[in-house]
Amino acid sequence: MLYLTLRQYEYVATVAQAGSLAAAAAQLNVSQPSLSVALSRVEARLGLKLFHRGKGMPVRLTPVGESYMKAVEGFLATARRLEDPQHLGRSGGQVVLGVFDDLAPFHLCPLLAALRHDLPDIEIRHRTGNFETLAREMLEGRIDLAVSYDLGLDGSFLRRPLLQVRPHAFLSANDPLASGEDVTLEALSSRPLILSEEGLSVRHMLGLFRRIGARPELRHRVASLELMRSLAANGAGVGISYGAPRTAMSYDGREVVARPLRDAFAREPVVLVEPTTAEETGLRCRVRGSIAGYFAAA
């Protein structure tokens, strides 16, 4: 006998995604007290504490709640497919695509559009994460394929090259180097740097400078590309990243100039990653071909 309703599972998922009872209640069109009572009943029925809840604090999943949410998300996805007549005749299957955090803003949406156009019979889901997260979730079977840079991957993974990208230096508009078409690592070696806080990324960037015998000052480590661009626009250092937005303005309204690095050895491949243990199927081949086609045209 089922004791929890589909609606209660939906409550749990919405609160986890929204991060607050107020936001979740608004999405679900129920009162906040009613939602709070419903969550308490679910936790009482399970005998598990799914959420950390405190007055004036964000609602956060407990470790056991995070594990439970993965099962709830899968259950709700199945329920939605069962209610959608368009899915009942589909036999293509489902694929979970991972995309590295820094690549996702540039490629995730157009890549999903291309996959859904090429493979209308396949349900494409996506997850984003850092190098460590993508690798772990592929090995655990939660991600089927991932688009990433070829960093931090061992012999447990197959890599197929998709394209080569050059890093860009982010400079303030009045920086003397901003007037050139490109820059070199040597020209930047005496400048304070702004790099990602992602461990593999920062080690890779500093490794490029070591190849020319330079050890520049690392002044800032940042969690986002936009913060890097803002600091560079305000003259706090030179940012370096493989992602270069097309806009010339930072979030705080300052002009920021992006110049590609001329050094050929600084180019980095974007790769399609799969576990070596993954079963070769027609479904996987079709998805792989569609992804390769998207990047070939990009």
Side-chain angles (χ1 to χ4, degrees), residues 137-159:
E137 295 201 355
M138 277 189 286
L139 293 177
E140 293 175 351
R142 291 201 291 269
I143 291 177
D144 297 300
L145 311 94
V147 175
S148 179
Y149 295 113
D150 190 5
L151 296 177
L153 298 169
D154 59 22
S156 304
F157 301 95
L158 297 172
R159 281 92 94 185

Side-chain angles (χ1 to χ4, degrees), residues 1 12 35 45 51 60 72-73 76 82 97 173 175 183-184 196 199 201 206 231 238 242 249 259 274 278 281 284 298:
M1 181 181 294
V12 171
L35 181 58
R45 176 64 203 173
F51 296 96
R60 295 182 294 108
V72 169
E73 288 174 348
L76 290 175
L82 290 173
L97 173 67
D175 191 299
V183 295
T184 64
S196 167
S201 291
L206 293 177
L231 287 167
V238 176
Y242 282 95
M249 301 296 289
R259 291 289 179 260
E274 303 173 70
T281 63
R284 186 175 289 272

Side-chain angles (χ1 to χ4, degrees), residues 5 64 165 199 231 284:
T5 67
V64 71
V165 292
L231 287 167
R284 186 175 289 272

Side-chain angles (χ1 to χ4, degrees), residues 177-195:
L177 294 176
S179 59
E181 291 185 1
D182 55 20
V183 295
T184 64
L185 287 165
E186 184 178 0
L188 300 177
S189 61
S190 61
R191 302 294 193 86
L193 300 183
I194 309 163
L195 300 179

